[in-house]
Amino acid sequence: LAVDVALEEGPLLFAGEAQDLSELIGNLLENACKWAAGKVAIHAACKGGRLVIAIGDDGPGIAPELRATALQRGSRLDERKPGSGLGLTIAQDLAKLYGGALTLGRSPLGGLQVTVELPAA
């Protein structure tokens, strides 16, 4: 598995608890690595007082019409790999706790991209 990390210049600081950010990113990376065919990309930047983190993979992705369902607690769209169906929901809950947002989209790698916007410190 190849993981590409791109961090923009300047401080990338989160206005919150380090363990919350670690849990949020950990859940997203675990999902990306689980579903990736061979590549995962992480990009982080500060834009307009927000810390923006995008994690994408080259796996099967999630169809646009199923993305809202994927964010529901305990929802599992595919049972082929182990998991509880809680990772995306936990990440979304943590983002919301800090006044942020989590969105699902298509990765430039072809699979799923999860983008999280959080308050920057």
Side-chain angles (χ1 to χ4, degrees):
L1 189 63
V3 179
D4 179 43
V5 179
L7 306 176
E8 290 201 6
E9 293 280 330
L12 299 173
L13 302 173
F14 169 55
E17 296 293 326
Q19 67 266 17
D20 288 340
L21 182 62
S22 179
E23 183 171 1
L24 190 157
I25 292 173
N27 277 308
L28 299 180
L29 280 174
E30 182 179 349
N31 278 349
C33 291
K34 180 183 350 181
W35 291 103
K39 296 179 184 175
V40 172
I42 305 162
H43 180 263
C46 277
K47 298 178 184 176
R50 307 293 277 175
L51 174 61
V52 181
I53 303 165
I55 299 174
D57 63 62
D58 65 348
I62 298 175
E65 65 273 11
L66 296 176
R67 291 177 185 156
T69 301
L71 291 172
Q72 294 174 358
R73 184 168 298 282
S75 175
R76 296 199 55 210
L77 300 177
D78 191 328
E79 304 269 338
R80 291 179 290 169
K81 306 231 181 191
S84 64
L86 297 174
L88 287 175
T89 305
I90 289 169
Q92 178 178 251
D93 288 349
L94 285 167
K96 285 182 177 179
L97 176 69
Y98 287 98
L102 181 145
T103 56
L104 305 180
R106 184 163 176 82
S107 168
L109 297 174
L112 181 66
Q113 179 160 299
V114 182
T115 303
V116 181
E117 292 189 30
L118 300 164

